[in-house]
Amino acid sequence: MVDGLMPERRGVMLVLSSPSGAGKTTIAREVLSRDDKISMSVSATTRLKRPGEVSGVDYHFIDKTEFNIKRNQQEFLESAKVFDNYYGTPAEPVMTKLAKGTDILFDIDWQGTQQLVEKAPDDVVSVFILPPSHGELERRLSRRARDTSEEVARRMSKASSELSHYAEYDYIIVNNILGESVVQVMSILTAERLKRRRAVGMSDFVKRLCEDG
Ligand code: 5GP
């Protein structure tokens, strides 16, 4: 394919949701490292920074006052309260990247997904990641040294209510073997990129094909 002749394409808003401990963050990291046409949406949060997390990379860490100001000024595409903390997706970077045909990866919960689907039903592709079993979910949560045991217990009890939202998603992945789950997410992304409705420049492209022929 000659550069510059590809039809224009609208970006995909690829949402990954799961209960904590299902492996969503690891899958997201792998997808980002394997594909340079997708970029992560960096959320704002009022939660405290965990060891190893980097401001502006993992999250924009802000306080409640700043969060409320941004929310009131409609700076978030969606926002939600999760585990007593507030989270929101800054709208501006997403809209700019989407218009340029860059795909965006979102690591957000079911509440945020519902809001994104409402705002951009044609752009959002939603994937729910399930842990392979209750026992494995518990083990993965306990292995996370970064959260206190109290936090682990709280997240475990929240997991079942989060899991009940799986049916609202387009795709479901059971994350048993990480490598396989990553390939499955990449396959979804590949297929969704090829959807005809995203190929905004297709009619001109086909016209040129006919003229050249
Ligand atoms: P954590 O605090 O463990 O990083 O994230 C807790 C939960 O908040 C995860 O389920 C994550 O997907 C969700 N989350 C992170 N950022 C956002 C956001 O911007 N909006 C919404 N609705 N949920 C988010």
Side-chain angles (χ1 to χ4, degrees), residues 153-164:
R154 227 156 52 93
R155 285 178 182 229
M156 199 63 212
S157 76
K158 285 246 180 185
S160 60
S161 71
E162 289 187 51
L163 285 170
S164 70

Side-chain angles (χ1 to χ4, degrees), residues 131-151:
S133 66
H134 182 89
E136 182 57 24
L137 177 63
E138 210 161 32
R139 273 191 293 279
R140 287 181 189 174
L141 278 179
S142 313
R143 271 203 303 264
R144 281 190 183 183
R146 57 190 188 165
D147 287 325
T148 63
S149 56
E150 193 183 86
E151 180 75 4

Side-chain angles (χ1 to χ4, degrees), residues 24 43 47 50 59 78 80 87-89 107-109 112 155:
K24 169 187 51 175
S43 299
R47 134 160 116 56
R50 295 184 184 127
Y59 283 103
E78 62 74 36
Y87 296 82
T89 299
D107 173 342
I108 60 174
D109 82 331
R155 285 178 182 229

Side-chain angles (χ1 to χ4, degrees), residues 21-112:
K24 169 187 51 175
T25 309
T26 316
I27 293 174
R29 262 192 223 125
E30 271 299 308
V31 170
L32 291 168
S33 75
R34 290 183 194 192
D35 191 311
D36 60 6
K37 291 189 183 65
I38 189 158
S39 155
M40 190 80 201
S41 164
V42 180
S43 299
T45 183
T46 61
R47 134 160 116 56
L48 293 178
K49 202 200 292 181
R50 295 184 184 127
E53 286 184 328
V54 179
S55 285
V57 175
D58 296 293
Y59 283 103
H60 301 288
F61 295 95
I62 59 178
D63 62 23
K64 271 189 191 156
T65 311
E66 197 183 342
F67 190 94
N68 284 333
I69 292 171
K70 286 184 185 296
R71 191 172 48 189
N72 293 340
Q73 290 178 341
Q74 320 283 334
E75 286 186 29
F76 295 134
L77 263 188
E78 62 74 36
S79 64
K81 189 179 182 193
V82 189
F83 305 120
D84 299 333
N85 295 305
Y86 292 89
Y87 296 82
T89 299
E92 197 276 324
V94 172
M95 301 327 284
T96 307
K97 285 177 187 165
L98 264 190
K100 285 186 192 154
T102 303
D103 306 304
I104 323 269
L105 189 60
F106 298 85
D107 173 342
I108 60 174
D109 82 331
W110 62 270
Q111 304 171 79

